[in-house]
Amino acid sequence: MAKQLHDKSTRGKSLSSEEQSLLEQWYAFQDDAETQTLAKSYDETRITILQTQVNTAFIQLMTVTKRIQEMMAENETLKGEIIQLHNQLVQQTTLSLAK
């Protein structure tokens, strides 16, 4: 019945004083149940373990990111060398054909 009263209330329909009182009691009961559930699920050790896992993952991510940046820089260097070698090959081919 409380869910029906909640539905009625959230749809903007009027509740009698008795219905409103029942609904408020139900809300209080739901709040207490939620508080108890949250209190049971709070575990400092678990939170510490999760934080350590997050920190470890972050360090790994930073390491991989740094390596990717290094590889990108190496790739740019290699691209430049390839362009130089290509240009040398073109020059040598042009000179050979001109002879």
Side-chain angles (χ1 to χ4, degrees):
M1 181 177 167
K3 288 183 181 181
Q4 292 172 345
L5 292 176
H6 171 73
D7 183 60
K8 186 177 177 182
S9 174
T10 57
R11 294 179 187 271
K13 297 181 180 176
S14 298
L15 300 177
S16 70
S17 299
E18 184 181 331
E19 289 174 327
Q20 186 64 40
S21 176
L22 288 172
L23 182 60
E24 288 174 9
Q25 288 175 15
W26 183 70
Y27 284 154
F29 176 79
Q30 294 299 319
D31 287 344
D32 287 343
E34 182 178 304
T35 300
Q36 289 177 13
T37 300
L38 291 173
K40 289 177 186 176
S41 68
Y42 183 81
D43 180 1
E44 188 67 37
T45 303
R46 184 170 179 242
I47 292 172
T48 302
I49 290 169
L50 290 173
Q51 186 62 52
T52 301
Q53 290 172 342
V54 168
N55 291 342
T56 300
F58 179 73
I59 290 168
Q60 291 172 343
L61 178 61
M62 295 304 294
T63 301
V64 169
T65 300
K66 182 179 178 192
R67 182 64 187 133
I68 289 170
Q69 290 170 336
E70 290 169 352
M71 290 179 76
M72 289 174 64
E74 290 173 18
N75 284 343
E76 288 302 313
T77 301
L78 291 172
K79 284 179 188 178
E81 291 175 9
I82 289 169
I83 290 170
Q84 286 177 344
L85 290 171
H86 180 265
N87 290 340
Q88 289 175 1
L89 182 61
V90 168
Q91 282 180 339
Q92 289 175 355
T93 303
T94 304
L95 289 175
S96 294
L97 291 176
K99 291 183 183 180

